[in-house]
Amino acid sequence: MWPSIIGWSLSALIATIGWWIAITNLNKQHRRNLELDKQKFIREMQIKTADEAINLLAKSRDSLGELNLYLILLPGDLRTKYSVNLETHSSRWEKPNEQVLKLWEKSSKSILEFTYFFESREVVLNKFVGMKETYLEQLSEIREATGKYSEYLGRIYYARYLNGIVLSEEELIDLENKTKEFNKYIFDFLGYVHDFIIELQNAFLSEAFGYSIPIRQPTDPKYKVLKAKE
């Protein structure tokens, strides 16, 4: 009798241990599957977020590029008018103060679209928060500079240009300097947009493609480069 009981007990124990091992393995596999699903979700969300953010930044870059080019050509148009033919008319000198404001408004809108998107995905883009804060600080400075430059252009346009009064060489140089000074804000911000695009690609796409894009390295240390948090 005892051998039978012992045999039955051993069989039951072995069965119980086998059942426990099977359940444990199933639980481990389930946890592994959950972790894999989690990692897949995170990866897909990162790539999707990076792609959308890069597209919005590229839109900002294009708008800022329009303003940058306008400012580069504006003073030269006036010099050409004076040196070639006073009757020559440039479309850039048709209410240039308003054109600057419109170009900046277009740029600002695209910049804010990126900012709003960033804030809606900050949990994904958390390592870039410091970059975004610097980005917004610069945006605030440009707004102020845009207002001052537009007022300056308005005075030249309405008081001098429309009345056919030719600017002196000193006034032309002042126009060129003030335009370059304002355009420096735009050019610097274009650099920040570039930095953001590079950092996003390197953070979320470089591993998949086995390639990292070199960061911007200005020759002059006074120019700041935005970098993601390590």
Side-chain angles (χ1 to χ4, degrees), residues 1-212:
M1 178 178 177
W2 285 108
S4 298
I5 294 174
I6 292 172
W8 179 85
S9 298
L10 285 173
S11 297
L13 178 61
I14 291 170
T16 301
I17 292 172
W19 174 83
W20 179 82
I21 291 173
I23 293 298
T24 300
N25 287 336
L26 284 173
N27 286 335
K28 287 181 179 178
Q29 184 62 44
H30 180 63
R31 285 195 295 271
R32 280 196 294 268
N33 289 339
L34 287 176
E35 183 62 26
L36 288 173
D37 288 343
K38 176 185 174 182
Q39 292 303 320
K40 181 182 178 183
F41 170 77
I42 290 173
R43 187 67 183 141
E44 289 176 349
M45 179 61 75
Q46 286 176 332
I47 292 174
K48 182 179 179 181
T49 300
D51 184 58
E52 182 65 22
I54 289 169
N55 285 335
L56 290 171
L57 285 164
K59 184 179 176 182
S60 301
R61 179 191 58 201
D62 293 344
S63 299
L64 287 165
E66 286 185 55
L67 178 54
N68 175 244
L69 180 61
Y70 179 89
L71 294 169
I72 289 172
L73 298 175
L74 186 66
D77 284 350
L78 200 55
R79 278 197 176 276
T80 300
K81 176 182 176 68
Y82 291 162
S83 63
V84 178
N85 185 351
L86 287 175
E87 299 302 318
T88 302
H89 178 70
S90 167
S91 60
R92 274 181 286 273
W93 275 93
E94 181 62 41
K95 298 181 180 179
N97 55 315
E98 293 184 12
Q99 290 195 59
V100 165
L101 288 176
K102 286 179 181 178
L103 286 169
W104 170 244
E105 182 181 352
K106 180 181 177 182
S107 300
S108 180
K109 182 180 178 181
S110 61
I111 291 166
L112 289 174
E113 282 180 10
F114 165 73
T115 304
Y116 297 147
F117 175 78
F118 186 103
E119 291 172 350
S120 73
R121 297 291 187 277
E122 190 168 320
V123 69
V124 181
L125 301 170
N126 61 84
K127 68 184 294 184
F128 303 97
V129 170
M131 291 179 66
K132 185 206 69 171
E133 290 174 352
T134 303
Y135 192 81
L136 290 178
E137 288 172 7
Q138 185 71 7
L139 179 62
S140 179
E141 291 181 15
I142 296 178
R143 281 201 189 100
E144 184 178 350
T146 302
K148 291 179 180 178
Y149 180 72
S150 176
E151 288 177 10
Y152 166 74
L153 270 185
R155 289 195 298 271
I156 291 178
Y157 177 71
Y158 289 108
R160 311 299 294 276
Y161 186 88
L162 279 185
N163 293 317
I165 301 174
V166 177
L167 272 65
S168 67
E169 180 62 23
E170 183 179 347
E171 288 172 324
L172 277 172
I173 291 174
D174 187 52
L175 170 64
E176 290 168 344
N177 289 338
K178 280 185 167 59
T179 301
K180 286 178 182 177
E181 182 181 338
F182 173 59
N183 202 16
K184 183 181 178 300
Y185 284 97
I186 306 303
F187 188 76
D188 286 349
F189 203 84
L190 277 167
Y192 288 174
V193 172
H194 173 82
D195 294 339
F196 239 125
I197 291 174
I198 298 306
E199 288 288 337
L200 284 166
Q201 290 188 76
N202 285 342
F204 298 130
L205 304 175
S206 63
E207 183 178 348
F209 293 94
Y211 178 77
S212 293

